[in-house]
Amino acid sequence: MELLPAALFLWGIPIKSQLIERKVQNEWETTTLGENTAFVYYFLLNGTTAQFLKERSDSLFGWITPELPEDLMFYEDEQCLLAACSHEGFFWVDEKVWDRFLLS
């Protein structure tokens, strides 16, 4: 199964049952906090979590706290395929994923 990690606050959201783990981190693909830390939550990506994402926003850049968690990232086998930094307005896509997108 793919993992869906997000640097977010767990506000009693309906995908709690999909939580894999919560880590204290000072950096992830789109952010470096220096000496500060944040909780990073890792979720399974499946029908339940995909529906949650679709219902909350129609854009990667719509995920901004405090309304929504931010810094969504999608992994497969420990490799980041897509990472977004909503409040800074940028995203990163793995080259192989981008190539597949362009060919489709």
Side-chain angles (χ1 to χ4, degrees):
M1 271 245 138
E2 296 176 13
L3 302 180
L4 165 64
L8 54 81
F9 309 106
L10 197 56
W11 298 299
I13 54 178
I15 59 171
K16 262 187 181 178
S17 64
Q18 306 304 311
L19 180 67
I20 297 168
E21 69 180 314
R22 179 182 80 168
K23 293 182 180 179
V24 176
Q25 295 178 212
N26 66 351
E27 66 179 328
W28 47 92
E29 273 64 24
T30 60
T31 302
T32 300
L33 298 175
E35 293 183 24
N36 295 321
T37 60
F39 288 119
V40 179
Y41 294 85
Y42 291 79
F43 293 90
L44 289 171
L45 179 58
N46 55 32
T48 301
T49 53
Q51 188 63 35
F52 174 82
L53 293 170
K54 288 179 196 177
E55 289 174 355
R56 297 316 187 273
S57 180
D58 61 0
S59 169
L60 281 176
F61 302 116
W63 291 83
I64 298 177
T65 53
E67 290 82 21
L68 295 170
E70 58 187 70
D71 292 356
L72 296 179
M73 296 171 283
F74 298 85
Y75 286 78
E76 183 175 59
D77 298 327
E78 308 267 333
Q79 178 183 354
C80 186
L81 302 178
L82 177 113
C85 186
S86 305
H87 68 280
E88 295 291 340
F90 73 88
F91 70 95
W92 173 92
V93 179
D94 179 82
E95 186 176 346
K96 290 177 186 176
V97 172
W98 189 250
D99 289 345
R100 280 186 281 174
F101 172 75
L102 293 177
L103 293 173
S104 62

